[in-house]
Amino acid sequence: MSAADAAVAARARAGRRPSAVAAWFRLLRSELGLVFRRRRNQALLAVLVVLPVTLGIVLRLSSPRGGDGGPNSSLLDQLAGNGIFLAFLALTILLTLVLPLVVAVVAGDSVAGEAGSGTIRYLLAVPAGRTRLLSVKYTAVVVFGLAACIVVVGAALAAGAALFPVGPVTLLSGTTVPLSEGLLRVLFITLYVAAGMAALGAIGVAVSTLTEHSIGAIATVLVIAVASEVADNVPQISAAHPYLPTHWWLSFDALLRSPIDTTTLLHGLLSFGVYAVIFLSLAWARLTTADITS
Amino acid sequence: MSTDTEVATGDPAATAGAPGAAVTTSGLSKRYRGGQLAVDGIDMVVPAGSVYGFLGPNGSGKTTTIRMLVGLIHPTSGSLELLGTAMPGGAVRVLPRVGSLIEGPAFYPQLSGQANLARVDAADRTADPATARARIGSALERVGLLHAAGKRYRAYSLGMKQRLAIAASLLRPRELVILDEPTNGLDPQGTREVRGLIRSIAAGGVTVLVSSHLLAEVEQICTDVGVMRTGQLVFQGTLEALRARGARRIRIRTALAGKAAEVLGTLGLADVKEAAGEVSAQLGERAPEEVCRELVLADIPVAGLDTPRPSLEDLFVELTGEGFDVGG
């Protein structure tokens, strides 16, 4: 059989060629399957269920009276009157370390894990396409970050409803809105926090393209997040605060005021977008030029 | 990505470089960032339909070359074509027609063999998902892993892992299959199985490029060989051409070995070696019957005479160097 004959026969047996979009979603499904079926990642999501529930029980048992002057005192005050505030409280607390950790694990592992195990050379020889693989990897990180936020809020809402009264929501600005509007605001807050996590995920994917060791990548992302939070609390460099990657994470409380402080929210989303674009560009530049020797 | 869409259905497999070559490289070089010159200007030609044994000691640049062929490593200089398509620019077009096993198997330990192949197939944008299950099944069957399809990869033996990697290269009909050290770490039984697999792949008209640091593992199945040494291609051609390269010697069994050696010396034969009851030398341009006549005329009793060729193994070692001088 000549090479040309072999080629024709090969194509006849290869079946129909899918569209580029369908093929991209097939790879994304495969990637999401890997991420969500991995025991370690499932354990992380389980932690995100347990923590808000535990928080709710502890607060219920200590029955907060409020006015203790702590940083979350206003949220604590509100919680006694409405279980929905457990969602805001849980997000506020978990955003300092646990949510960034969860995103850092999945993002830091995304490329480094495949490089470390050598599977990346088989994906690229297929060829999966370096840009295409990166886009799928990052999308999976964003989806996992969103899932993490939904899990936290879902668990907190369920625990809040079980442990505290639920009804019309009195916002931080003093206005009272119906429960349905309160839940709608919870939804927007979840999406806003997920956007912040997506920006962190972009940093994580970029770091992940630099090494074959996922643990190193994960630790680096976490150090970046914590260092940024620390710097955000140093008043001497307050001029730099708005440019820190974590600075706008907690600005979701703008959605708990009436009228909603859209300027702050847009600043936050702009910051997340800029971080995502910069770090995805770095990741792309690195991955598309790197020699794959693992 | 829109330019890629046409590909696998488009151009015929006409080769642009050397006609009828599945792989051609020209002055292909790779210098790593550390300054090490891993591949030093090789001109490789793998004829279409051949089984090309890519030989050389560990560290001679075989794997770096193969990684450049499939676009994992960017060449420092030189050019290369796969199936007539320039790489790495044409990777998206040509690589779906190329199956490869690169430097040992690497899969997800928590997934089954079947799920691992599904993952590889999902990465292929030109593969039809409707036929994936059937293609995965037949690839597993071909390498004899159907019984272990649902078993986790981490529980596979080394031979099974190696065969799974070969199955991954057979997920679709290919025109070229590149196997880097497919028998590495296998027992003789496993090595034989892999050889059988390579034969069956080649029997379908597919060009196979198989690398090994052991000539014996591939000499039975190769039609062509390329021999690497410290980043250079020191020999390339058919197996017959490699055999013919070996200088013929003449070996005489005689009671008067010392005297016979003198005669061979006066005849101008090089590399005369004398042992108990035996003497040998490089035959060069002389005819064996002529040497025999001279010996008899010199009153030397010739008890036996033959003209052995060096074994392929000897030639291989001669080309690649003994022991540890593989360079760095």
Side-chain angles (χ1 to χ4, degrees):
Chain A
M1 184 161 28
S2 79
D5 289 342
V8 171
R11 280 182 199 126
R13 277 173 289 158
R16 193 183 51 85
R17 184 193 164 88
S19 78
V21 175
W24 189 86
F25 276 102
R26 186 176 175 218
L27 182 54
L28 177 64
R29 260 201 314 282
S30 163
E31 186 67 30
L32 289 175
L34 268 185
V35 170
F36 280 93
R37 285 202 197 107
R38 185 135 184 205
R39 290 273 170 78
R40 181 193 65 197
N41 297 348
Q42 290 173 345
L44 288 172
L45 290 179
V47 167
L48 294 182
V49 172
V50 171
L51 288 180
V53 173
T54 314
L55 181 68
I57 294 171
V58 168
L59 291 177
R60 180 72 182 86
L61 293 177
S62 63
S63 44
R65 293 274 173 267
D68 62 353
N72 300 315
S73 58
S74 51
L75 280 174
L76 280 171
D77 288 343
Q78 301 284 5
L79 179 61
N82 199 331
I84 201 173
F85 275 87
L86 186 59
F88 312 134
L89 206 54
L91 276 180
T92 305
I93 292 171
L94 294 189
L95 263 175
T96 55
L97 189 67
V98 180
L99 268 174
L101 170 76
V102 168
V103 172
V105 166
V106 175
D109 188 48
S110 59
V111 178
E114 304 261 10
S117 68
T119 45
I120 196 167
R121 64 176 183 259
Y122 282 94
L123 293 178
L124 293 183
V126 159
R130 298 188 185 207
T131 306
R132 184 167 164 266
L133 186 63
L134 185 68
S135 69
V136 164
K137 288 270 173 199
Y138 181 60
T139 306
V141 168
V142 172
V143 170
F144 192 84
L146 176 63
C149 295
I150 289 173
V151 164
V152 168
V153 169
L157 283 180
L163 296 166
F164 301 96
V166 174
V169 182
T170 306
L171 299 176
L172 296 180
S173 53
T175 332
T176 300
V177 298
L179 180 61
S180 57
E181 192 190 326
L183 288 174
L184 191 64
R185 287 176 186 241
V186 171
L187 175 68
F188 285 130
I189 285 173
T190 309
L191 293 176
Y192 178 85
V193 173
M197 293 300 101
L200 181 68
I203 296 175
V205 169
V207 172
S208 189
T209 59
L210 300 174
T211 172
E212 293 171 19
H213 307 285
S214 4
I215 295 294
I218 293 166
T220 306
V221 181
L222 208 55
V223 165
I224 290 172
V226 171
S228 166
E229 285 175 316
V230 169
D232 207 15
N233 282 305
V234 177
Q236 284 79 1
I237 53 166
S238 60
H241 286 171
Y243 304 103
L244 292 170
T246 59
H247 179 76
W248 301 92
W249 284 1
L250 292 174
S251 304
F252 69 76
D253 70 355
L255 277 158
L256 292 179
R257 295 172 202 282
S258 192
I260 295 171
D261 180 4
T262 47
T263 314
T264 304
L265 289 178
L266 287 177
H267 270 147
L269 292 174
L270 180 67
S271 161
F272 302 155
V274 167
Y275 267 101
V277 167
I278 290 173
F279 279 89
L280 286 179
S281 304
L282 291 175
W284 177 82
R286 164 73 186 170
L287 189 64
T288 51
T289 56
D291 282 337
I292 308 296
T293 53
S294 59
Chain B
M1 232 178 271
S2 57
T3 47
D4 318 339
T5 334
E6 260 242 86
V7 252
T9 49
D11 53 281
T15 45
V23 178
T24 50
T25 77
S26 157
L28 189 66
S29 298
K30 178 64 187 180
R31 187 183 290 281
Y32 283 115
R33 272 195 299 183
Q36 180 206 355
L37 190 60
V39 174
D40 184 6
I42 67 171
D43 301 311
M44 188 178 181
V45 178
V46 177
S50 68
V51 177
Y52 186 98
F54 194 34
L55 301 164
N58 292 324
S60 59
K62 301 190 300 290
T63 294
T64 299
T65 304
I66 284 176
R67 282 176 182 262
M68 286 193 278
L69 293 185
V70 296
L72 292 176
I73 289 182
H74 305 280
T76 309
S77 62
S79 63
L80 69 103
E81 285 188 1
L82 274 191
L83 303 171
T85 307
M87 284 286 289
V92 170
R93 287 208 309 282
V94 73
L95 285 182
R97 291 146 61 194
V98 179
S100 50
L101 182 163
I102 311 130
E103 217 183 355
F107 291 99
Y108 306 89
Q110 75 274 22
L111 298 184
S112 69
Q114 193 170 17
N116 267 302
L117 293 190
R119 164 76 171 166
V120 174
D121 197 62
D124 187 347
R125 73 193 87 176
T126 62
D128 184 359
T131 61
R133 184 177 276 274
R135 285 183 290 109
I136 290 167
S138 69
L140 285 169
E141 188 171 17
R142 231 171 136 185
V143 301
L145 276 181
L146 211 47
H147 66 283
K151 199 167 163 179
R152 279 172 189 242
Y153 177 73
R154 75 165 97 247
Y156 274 26
S157 70
L158 183 57
M160 291 163 83
K161 288 176 178 175
Q162 205 82 287
R163 280 188 282 159
L164 187 66
I166 297 177
S169 74
L170 299 176
L171 277 174
R172 311 184 57 196
R174 312 285 191 185
E175 291 162 55
L176 169 66
V177 171
I178 297 172
L179 303 172
D180 185 15
E181 301 270 4
T183 55
N184 214 4
L186 294 188
D187 53 21
Q189 177 70 23
T191 305
R192 264 172 68 125
E193 279 174 18
V194 168
R195 263 203 300 262
L197 261 171
I198 293 173
R199 273 201 196 93
S200 82
I201 295 168
V206 178
T207 310
V208 180
L209 191 163
V210 54
S211 86
S212 179
H213 59 280
L214 294 173
L215 173 72
E217 286 195 345
V218 293
E219 81 169 84
Q220 303 168 27
I221 48 173
C222 288
T223 57
D224 293 74
V225 287
V227 180
M228 292 285 286
R229 177 182 186 174
T230 56
Q232 290 174 328
L233 197 59
V234 291
F235 176 84
Q236 177 169 253
T238 61
L239 209 53
E240 283 70 49
L242 178 60
R243 278 210 182 86
R245 229 182 101 100
R248 270 214 296 183
R249 292 183 74 84
I250 186 162
R251 188 168 62 190
I252 301 117
R253 272 187 292 122
T254 173
L256 300 174
K259 223 173 146 200
E262 274 172 38
V263 174
L264 293 183
T266 55
L267 284 171
L269 298 190
D271 193 24
V272 179
K273 281 182 187 152
E274 199 187 319
E278 192 180 296
V279 61
S280 72
Q282 274 189 20
L283 195 50
E285 297 303 305
R286 298 260 177 191
E289 51 270 37
E290 185 193 345
V291 177
C292 184
R293 194 168 60 98
E294 293 296 329
L295 286 167
V296 172
L297 286 177
D299 279 339
I300 294 165
V302 176
L305 181 151
D306 64 350
T307 54
R309 284 190 185 282
S311 70
L312 275 178
E313 196 66 43
D314 293 340
L315 288 170
F316 179 58
V317 170
E318 186 190 309
L319 284 168
T320 58
E322 300 259 10
F324 295 104
D325 66 339
V326 289

